[in-house]
Amino acid sequence: MKRHHLLTRKPQPVHDRQMLSQINTIAHSLVNVRDSDLVNQYQQLKLLCQFPGDDLDGLTVRAFSLVVESVRRVLGLTYHQEQLMAGLAMIRGEIVEMQTGEGKTVTAVLPACWFALAGRGVHVMTVNDYLAERDFQTLSPVYARLGLSSGLNQPRLSTEFKRAAYTADITYGPGYEFGFDYLRDQVMSLSQQRPRLGSQFSRTLNGCDIPTPQPVQHTHAVAIVDEADSVMIDEATVPLVLSSQGGQPANNTEVYQAARQAALTLKAGRDYLINEQTSELQITDLGILRLSADRSLIPLERLDRPWMQYVEQALRAELFYHRDIQYVVYDNRVQIVDPHTSRIFADRTWRNGLHQAVEAKEGKPITNESQPIARIMRQKYFQLYDQLCGMSGTVQGCQREFRDVYGIRHAVIPPHRPSHRIDLSVRLFVDQQCREQAIICSIQELLPTRRPVLIGTADIETSRRLSQLLHDQGLTHHLLNGVQDADEAAVIASAGGPETITIATNLAGRGTDIKLGPGVAETGGLHVIAAGFQLTERIDRQLIGRAARKGEPGSSQILASIRDPLFLQSSPGWIDSLKQQAGPNGEIPVTKQILGRIVKTQRKAELQGMQRRKQLTQHDNWLSNATCSIWN
């Protein structure tokens, strides 16, 4: 399908300031216009789009003005200049960085309505289904005021509901679900038998015309991605895989149990070698001989793959996969924890027998392995769209990858009000126990001020330990560590209340605004404590950025431990030297050299992540080309 001219011709940034003034002027003139006239004016713009002219800036100004007035009438909100700047950047196909609390959700309405003029469908993607539903419910009346239809695409919807969602002018949904729908459509298309020449005509003549199933996705015209760094970068290491239904009791449970028993007999350094920094595992020749010595212990007749692979997965489950970090045990089942958000994915499983190896390790019912039906790398799926744009509070640090992989630039939007956040000095401890005791002391010191405190942890295990310590001190608090639902957003939204203490995995409630309660601003605002550095500095900024939004007061502090995953990336000699500098309470004085080493390690980890994603994409391209060669 030929691309619409709106998707190829963009307003120029040199005109932005002039356009901002014009948008405000025209929007002000629309205040007394009837609702029906707003619809008529928007429809007139759609007609103008069918006949491309030279006044694209004028078209943009009028479209944005209508959106500004619709938002004012429905939500009672007034766009500030920075939001309009972000909207103009996005219609040029850029990823914009807007600080947390700057109103990204309502900003997305501007490019959504502008791209909807082309009439080819706009997909607005979020990080999870709750945020998609929240934004859809909030913004549908805004679109309706302009005569636009909107739809909600959620997991587990029927085909009919999904098709209806995609026929709307603007469709909201979690990013991964759009990709899964694409895979389902591809599987459906390939599963249809190619009709014999003339058979369709013959059935029509005989009144036996059988309708061909239609895909739910019709176009890939425009995608607007919220929290773009999370959706398009961090999660890009995990391909979208459509699998057969697993989860049923396995009929070869003894294989996984025997593999675990065999793995437990192996000794590190003799039978297998591990790389702590890369989590790589290699069974030595001696280990292979030991595992093959007694064939009576191997259930040969039940194997679906080489025995050594079962043992490797059992060993991997024992060494690298830990409860409340990589997975949780809930409802008597092993459930995966998303490494990027610490949310629980109840309907996903690890592949190649790893999930079954973890189930055997935990002594839980072993389920059958799901079989992959179709897969696509997220990078490749996003590249299907004619136009990509998005927004996030943390774009800087991955702008190169956006440019190299997706071919899109980034724009940094200044905050509407300058930040007044106070970032306290970093503190470093020899172990997690000393660090957690320091966190409790910091909270107790803040109690007389009645300031709210938000503690961000990297994993569920740490959040539970801190929760128990607070409980032991008789301190009432909220705990969020992986349940992805409306309660999460509600708890995060209330985290700014007086004397409120909230523990959350770092990205829990991402996309939800934290409003300060009565009197909190006067006492210093929200205080954020980060329990350690993350492998990427962007995630640190995402957590710290929860404090002092919209020019409000606030503060933050990072309390790290040399046992955190980031420090495991460093040399053992440096870690040993840090231990020797610790005081009686286990705290290590933080110097500029130490901070510089931390930043260097984060940048190295970010570069390794980018290279890993690049290699995965190249491998996926190779697989695709190889498959095409076979079928051709």
Side-chain angles (χ1 to χ4, degrees), residues 427 438-450 557:
R427 299 178 67 185
I439 290 175
I440 300 302
C441 290
S442 296
I443 294 172
Q444 291 173 328
E445 290 173 1
L446 287 172
L447 287 178
T449 69
R450 303 185 72 242
Q557 188 170 34

Side-chain angles (χ1 to χ4, degrees), residues 361-421:
K361 168 187 173 182
E362 290 291 340
K364 300 303 176 185
I366 298 177
T367 57
N368 64 320
E369 297 184 30
S370 59
Q371 300 300 320
I373 300 173
R375 71 190 295 275
I376 188 171
M377 295 300 295
R378 297 172 195 248
Q379 297 97 321
K380 183 173 290 186
Y381 175 72
F382 284 117
Q383 290 167 357
L384 296 174
Y385 283 88
D386 294 334
Q387 185 65 64
L388 265 177
C389 65
M391 52 196 175
S392 174
T394 47
V395 175
Q396 295 185 80
C398 55
Q399 63 267 37
R400 175 183 169 186
E401 193 164 356
F402 275 121
R403 183 185 67 246
D404 293 348
V405 175
Y406 301 105
I408 50 183
R409 298 181 301 172
H410 83 290
V412 178
I413 306 299
H416 182 52
R417 298 183 182 91
S419 173
H420 295 294
R421 188 181 69 239

Side-chain angles (χ1 to χ4, degrees), residues 159 162-163 166 177-194 212-220 240-242 373-377 380-381 384-385 624 627-628 631:
T159 301
K162 280 184 172 289
R163 189 170 289 117
Y166 279 112
E177 191 61 19
F178 288 95
F180 282 129
D181 286 339
Y182 170 77
L183 291 177
R184 294 184 190 103
D185 283 345
Q186 296 302 304
V187 170
M188 180 197 68
S189 176
L190 292 173
S191 65
Q192 299 300 311
Q193 292 185 352
R194 183 170 297 178
T212 303
Q214 297 298 311
V216 297
Q217 277 187 358
H218 302 287
T219 63
H220 293 92
L240 295 168
V241 180
L242 192 64
I373 300 173
R375 71 190 295 275
I376 188 171
M377 295 300 295
K380 183 173 290 186
Y381 175 72
L384 296 174
Y385 283 88
S624 299
T627 303
C628 290
W631 285 102

Side-chain angles (χ1 to χ4, degrees), residues 134-180:
R134 183 202 67 178
D135 294 352
F136 167 75
Q137 297 291 350
T138 301
L139 300 173
S140 288
V142 175
Y143 298 124
R145 194 63 64 99
L146 297 176
L148 288 167
S149 60
S150 54
L152 178 62
N153 177 34
Q154 293 279 55
R156 295 175 293 278
L157 285 180
S158 67
T159 301
E160 291 75 16
F161 279 104
K162 280 184 172 289
R163 189 170 289 117
Y166 279 112
T167 56
D169 295 305
I170 299 164
T171 307
Y172 278 82
Y176 57 81
E177 191 61 19
F178 288 95
F180 282 129

Side-chain angles (χ1 to χ4, degrees), residues 255-265 310 314 318 357 360-362:
V255 173
Y256 304 101
Q257 293 165 342
R260 180 167 190 267
Q261 293 303 317
L264 293 177
T265 65
Y310 284 100
E318 196 70 30
K361 168 187 173 182
E362 290 291 340

Side-chain angles (χ1 to χ4, degrees), residues 446 450-454 495-501 516 520 523 525-527:
L446 287 172
R450 303 185 72 242
R451 289 181 62 188
V453 181
L454 173 64
E499 300 181 273
T500 302
I501 302 173
L516 299 185
V520 171
T523 60
L526 176 68
H527 180 61

